[in-house]
Amino acid sequence: EIVLTQSPGTLSLSPGDRATLSCRASQTVTSDYLAWYQQKPGQPPRLLIYNAAYRATGIPDRFSGSGSGTHFTLTITRLEPEDFAVYYCHQYGNSPPETFGQGTKVEIK
Amino acid sequence: QIRLVQSGPEVRKPGASVKVSCKASGYTFSSYGICWVRQAPGQGPEWMGWISTDSGDRKYAQKVQGRVTLTRETSTSTAFMELRSLRFDDTAVYYCARCPLYSGYINWGQGTLVTVSS
């Protein structure tokens, strides 16, 4: 089973700041099949990025994904008020099981 | 418009079973698998399993294998997740999601809270 470790656990930033979130895998993620999600309280996760670097339909271009193998990054170039939430990475290349990270909370400083 | 609508909240005692439904609309049900993910309070999501809505093939997470059964009813475009021998740590929100091959999950159900309490 691939373990995904996200860092930092919490990121305290201000609107307009740049956010850089990390996701490290315990083994190589096959074909870079890694996604990023945003989740707000009481809602299901919202897909932002799939296959490490491709924005899902309707996702603003301030969200970008990069990385390969065992290290992946989600970057939000200029934080908007609605971007303060919890973010999860998810690998679906090595299944079963697919696995999720434990999350990074982006909070207002 | 693609929608996944799940059944309502459930409360069960330890040792009991629960069955959650997920009704799909807005796309051809048999063209995409359905995945089940749960999320305990304050925790990250946990993948439970996948079912092919076409063939009925299934994959399960080892952690719940033996206690979980995924099924589907193609005539009503509905998927089901049954979890048996419930324990306190099965308390979570259970989600279904449309899961295309080798892509993230873009469509999710609204979630079903299952509470295991004595």
Side-chain angles (χ1 to χ4, degrees), chain A residues 33 37 39 51 88 92 98 100, chain B residues 39 45 47 95 102-103 105:
Chain A
Y33 286 142
Y37 300 85
Q39 189 176 32
N51 296 359
Y88 295 100
Y92 44 92
E98 299 180 19
F100 290 81
Chain B
Q39 191 168 26
W47 185 84
Y95 293 103
Y102 306 124
S103 178
Y105 302 171

Side-chain angles (χ1 to χ4, degrees), chain A residues 28 37 91:
Chain A
T28 298
Y37 300 85
Q91 72 80 21

Side-chain angles (χ1 to χ4, degrees), chain B residues 17-39:
Chain B
S17 299
V18 69
K19 191 170 186 177
V20 178
S21 67
C22 170
K23 184 170 175 61
S25 61
Y27 71 100
T28 302
F29 182 66
S30 58
S31 293
Y32 299 91
I34 293 286
C35 293
W36 289 86
V37 174
R38 68 181 179 179
Q39 191 168 26

